[in-house]
Amino acid sequence: MKTNFLFVCAENDGIYNCKAGGMGDVVRDVPRQIASYEDTCHVITPSYGRLHQSGTKITSLVFNYRGQSEEANLYEVPGKKENPFIKHYVIDHPAITSGDIAHIYFNDPDQPFYTDACMFSLFCTAVAQAVKQDLFGELQVIHLHDWHTSLLLFLREYHSSFTVLKNSRFVYSIHNLAIQGIRPFRDNYSSLKAFYPEIIIDEEQLKDPRYHDCINLMTLGIRLADAVHTVSPSYKEDIKSPSRPPAFIGGEGLENDLIKADDEGRLFGILNGCNYKNINKAKRNELYRNSLYAIFKWLQEPNKKYKSDFLAHTGNKIFKLSENKPDFICASVARLTEQKFFFYKNNPDILRNLLDILAARNGVYIVLGTGAPEYEDGFRQISYEKENFIFINGQSEEIIDSLYFESNLYLMPSLFEPCGISQMLAMRNGQPCLVHATGGLIDTVDHLKSGFSFSGDTLEQKGQNFLQVFENTVDLFFEDKEIWKHICKTAKGKRFSWEKSVKEYYQDLYLQEIKLESKFKPKKKGSKSVSDIYNYNK
C-alpha cells in the first residue's frame, strides 16, 4: 500500500525563493527521502504574491472566510529538482503577500503575528478547501509545520464544511517553540472569531495557558495533532521543563501541554537530517572573491541600507584579507536574533574577548546574517572597534558555502536550539563546531571528539566557560595539529542522514495506524522499501 502525503508549510526550499530558515531545508529534504520509497508527496505553501508567477494554474478555490465568500487560486510550481513522486503547489490570493522577513514573514512590533495570522488563516482555509475538492487524491498523512499551519487542525475539529480532514492522520512538527502565533479570540481584525465568525469557539480547549483571552496557535497543534514532533531528542526533553530565562529556555509556557502529549504517546523527538548527496561544492580560496562580489551587488540595490559601511568597513576589511590572509578563521551564519546571539548582546565583552584571543593568533571572526535591528547595530559597532571582526550584513549562498568550506571553526553559541542545521553543514565539510550544549546541539556535537561545547548553571558561568573553551580550542589548533586533524576527520565522518530520520518518521509519526510490514508492495530484487530497512536495522 502506497502512502499519499500532504506537507503544509510556510517555507519550502524545494522550490525557488521560499526559504527563511531551517524549516525550508526540512520541507525540501523529507519529501525527497519519502519519494525514494515511491510514496507520493504534495507540498504546499502560500504564494506570497510572487511564487505563482512561475507556475501553472490548477483551479480556483472558493470557500467561506470572514463570513463571506473568498476565491483563491491553486498553482503547481516547478521544483528545484524534478521528481515524479513530488509535486509543489502554492496558493495565491490578494491578501497573501510578501513580508519584510525573507520576503515571507511580517514583523508587526505593535501586535505580534497580526499580519501573519491573517495571511496564514486564509491560507489554511484554502488548503482545507483543496483537500475537500480532492485535488491531492486520498491523503493518508497531512504533515503540518509550526504555528502557521495549525489552523487546519482547528478546521478539522470544529468546521462542519471540512469533516473530510478527519480521514487523514495529522502530524505536527515544532521547529521553534518560542514563536507561538498568539492572537485574541475576538474583538480584533486579526482574531479567531474574525476569521471564522460562524464557528462556536471552545475557549476552554483553545485558550493560551497564560493569556486566557487568546488562542495560541502553537498550542493548538500540540493539543489536536495525532502526533507531535520535535526536531531533536534533547529538545523534546528541554521543552518539557519550564523556561528560566535567560539561563535556560524550555517549554516557554507550553510545558504542561507537551508533558500531556508525551503521556498520551503523541510526542516524539526525531533529529533532523542533513543532505550528503549532490551538494553544491565550494571552491578553495573563493571566500574573499565571493564576499566582494556580493558586496558590490548589494551596493547597486537602491533600498540597501548602510552602503557606506559595506564599503568603508566590510569591503575594505575583506580586500585586506585577500592580500594578507589570516592564520585562523571563525565563522557564524545565522539570523541575528536572541536565539542565536544573545550571549554577545547580553555581554558584548564576550565577543570583544573572543576577538582579542583571535588577534593574538592572527585570526578573524566572520559573522554573516540579517535580523533584529538591535543585533545588526551591535555587530556594526563592534566591527568599528575591532579590525578582525568582519560583519557581513546580508544573505549570500556563495559566501555561506565558502564559509562552511574555508573556515577553521564554526561558532554556534545559541541560547537554545531545537535542532540546528548549520553545525551539520559545517561538519559535513570537516569543520569542527564550538556550540552551546543545548537542544539538538547536544545530539550532534561531541565535546573533544567531533567538536567542542560549553555549558554552565548560570548565564555568567556559561559566558566564562564559552571563553575558556574557545581559547583552549584555538590553542589546540596551533599547538596539536594531529589531534585537530582527528577531530576534523571525526566531524566529517558523522552522518545525520535523512534516510535514518525518515525511517523513524514512518515508524513513530506516519504509520501508527497502518501496519508497517504490509505498507509496501513487493519490490524488484535489490530494491529496499522502508519496511525492509526498518526490519534490517532493528
Side-chain angles (χ1 to χ4, degrees), residues 193-207:
K193 198 65 178 174
F195 303 148
Y196 308 110
E198 71 276 21
I199 299 178
I200 298 174
I201 297 173
D202 184 348
E203 294 190 17
E204 192 61 34
Q205 184 180 16
L206 298 172
K207 69 183 180 183

Side-chain angles (χ1 to χ4, degrees), residues 140-144 153 156-157 165-173 220-229 261-262 264-268 508-513:
Q140 283 74 47
V141 178
I142 298 178
H143 193 154
L144 310 179
L153 288 161
R156 179 176 77 156
E157 186 79 7
L165 297 174
K166 296 182 179 182
N167 297 335
S168 302
R169 178 173 174 81
F170 272 72
V171 173
Y172 182 66
S173 282
L220 181 71
I222 296 167
R223 291 175 182 171
L224 298 183
D226 299 307
V228 181
H229 161 235
D262 196 29
E264 293 169 350
R266 296 188 297 113
L267 183 65
F268 302 90
D508 294 334
L509 304 179
Y510 293 155
L511 304 182
Q512 290 287 304
E513 297 169 2

Side-chain angles (χ1 to χ4, degrees), residues 150-188:
S150 68
L151 278 169
L152 275 162
L153 288 161
F154 172 82
L155 297 174
R156 179 176 77 156
E157 186 79 7
Y158 294 105
H159 205 301
S160 59
S161 294
F162 298 118
T163 55
V164 65
L165 297 174
K166 296 182 179 182
N167 297 335
S168 302
R169 178 173 174 81
F170 272 72
V171 173
Y172 182 66
S173 282
I174 300 171
H175 295 273
N176 191 340
L177 189 71
I179 303 175
Q180 298 180 0
I182 301 171
R183 293 305 304 158
F185 279 123
R186 53 177 52 81
D187 301 327
N188 190 295

Side-chain angles (χ1 to χ4, degrees), residues 291-303:
S291 299
L292 290 171
Y293 178 82
I295 287 171
F296 280 109
K297 182 180 177 182
W298 292 327
L299 288 173
Q300 297 173 48
E301 297 179 9
N303 61 342

Side-chain angles (χ1 to χ4, degrees), residues 342-353 463 467:
F342 178 81
F343 285 102
Y344 297 156
K345 183 175 182 295
N346 180 67
N347 184 1
D349 284 339
I350 291 177
L351 178 53
R352 292 188 179 97
N353 290 334
L467 279 172

Side-chain angles (χ1 to χ4, degrees), residues 178 235 238 244-250 252 337-344 346 375 412-418 435-439 441 454 458-459 462:
Y235 190 59
D238 284 351
R244 302 185 305 277
F248 173 74
I249 305 299
E252 294 290 83
T337 62
E338 181 177 279
Q339 176 193 349
K340 301 294 185 178
F341 294 112
F342 178 81
F343 285 102
Y344 297 156
N346 180 67
Y375 281 86
M412 202 165 175
S414 304
L415 188 61
F416 63 96
E417 195 63 66
V435 305
H436 179 207
T438 183
L441 300 177
F454 69 92
T458 66
L459 198 64
K462 290 179 180 185

